[in-house]
Amino acid sequence: MNEVNNHLITILNNTPAMVVHLDTKFNFLFVNKAYADSTNFPIDFFLGKNHFELYPNPDTQAIFQEVVD
């Protein structure tokens, strides 16, 4: 990872806002500390897992899929 990416990750991990980055299949690529802390799971718990397997919601998944499409 380059210096700019490291700097951005440091900022995101120190903001109180919850931030996640999902791929187009809704797998977690990044979870910041605030998000992980709100769930009481470590950051590494989420990485590679699918958002809708953890939080099943067909209505929300349909909306997310429309955005991706």
Side-chain angles (χ1 to χ4, degrees), residues 13-30:
N13 277 328
N14 286 288
T15 183
M18 293 184 290
V19 179
V20 301
H21 180 201
L22 304 174
D23 66 16
T24 58
K25 303 267 189 227
F26 314 116
N27 298 308
F28 288 94
L29 299 176
F30 174 83

Side-chain angles (χ1 to χ4, degrees), residues 31-50:
V31 174
N32 76 341
K33 185 177 179 329
Y35 186 90
D37 288 350
S38 76
T39 67
N40 293 316
F41 285 103
I43 290 171
D44 290 343
F45 169 81
F46 294 96
L47 302 180
K49 288 190 172 71
N50 185 274

Side-chain angles (χ1 to χ4, degrees), residues 42-65:
I43 290 171
D44 290 343
F45 169 81
F46 294 96
L47 302 180
K49 288 190 172 71
N50 185 274
H51 180 274
F52 292 107
E53 288 178 8
L54 295 176
Y55 308 110
N57 185 317
D59 294 334
T60 303
Q61 187 170 359
I63 293 167
F64 277 40
Q65 190 62 55

